[in-house]
Amino acid sequence: MFLNKILHTQSDHLFALQVNCDSMNPEIKPGSIVLVNQNENSPTGDGIFAVRLGNLVQLNILQPLPNNRLHLTTINKKYDPIEINPDETQEFEILGRVIW
């Protein structure tokens, strides 16, 4: 009922992820568990997404840019933002939007 009424999704589209870094601190602290909706894997607007960069899974704020590029930032300002074109690399994948 929580998934359907509050989060408006089905459980077969979700996965839980334990956060091990401080990139989203103080909003999402290390050790937190987030819920990711795999159906929301294209950034149509700003949001926090679980992404794969190479062999690492991390949380980033994704902002669409012109020319099919994405701006990846974090809440913790000690991490530098990066820009990426998903069409130019197989090392990048959007796993889904963090919904809880």
Side-chain angles (χ1 to χ4, degrees):
M1 186 165 105
F2 172 74
L3 294 174
N4 291 330
K5 300 259 183 198
I6 305 298
L7 299 179
H8 307 289
T9 190
Q10 302 293 319
S11 63
D12 56 342
H13 304 146
L14 305 175
F15 68 91
L17 181 68
Q18 183 170 9
V19 178
N20 294 320
C21 72
D22 65 347
S23 65
M24 291 297 168
N25 201 26
E27 297 299 318
I28 303 173
K29 296 179 178 23
S32 298
I33 296 177
V34 295
L35 201 55
V36 179
N37 185 341
Q38 297 177 84
N39 278 351
E40 295 187 47
N41 59 2
S42 69
T44 54
D46 296 350
I48 298 176
F49 289 81
V51 301
R52 181 187 59 79
L53 279 169
N55 293 327
L56 298 174
V57 174
Q58 59 190 47
L59 299 182
N60 286 104
I61 299 168
L62 300 186
Q63 297 171 310
L65 297 172
N67 299 322
N68 203 32
R69 297 187 66 76
L70 292 173
H71 185 77
L72 285 69
T73 59
T74 62
I75 292 171
N76 188 335
K77 296 304 176 197
K78 81 176 188 182
Y79 297 96
D80 292 329
I82 62 170
E83 282 188 22
I84 192 167
N85 184 332
D87 294 335
E88 295 176 357
T89 180
Q90 294 180 342
E91 296 293 311
F92 177 78
E93 178 183 8
I94 301 172
L95 302 175
R97 182 185 295 266
V98 174
I99 61 169
W100 185 75

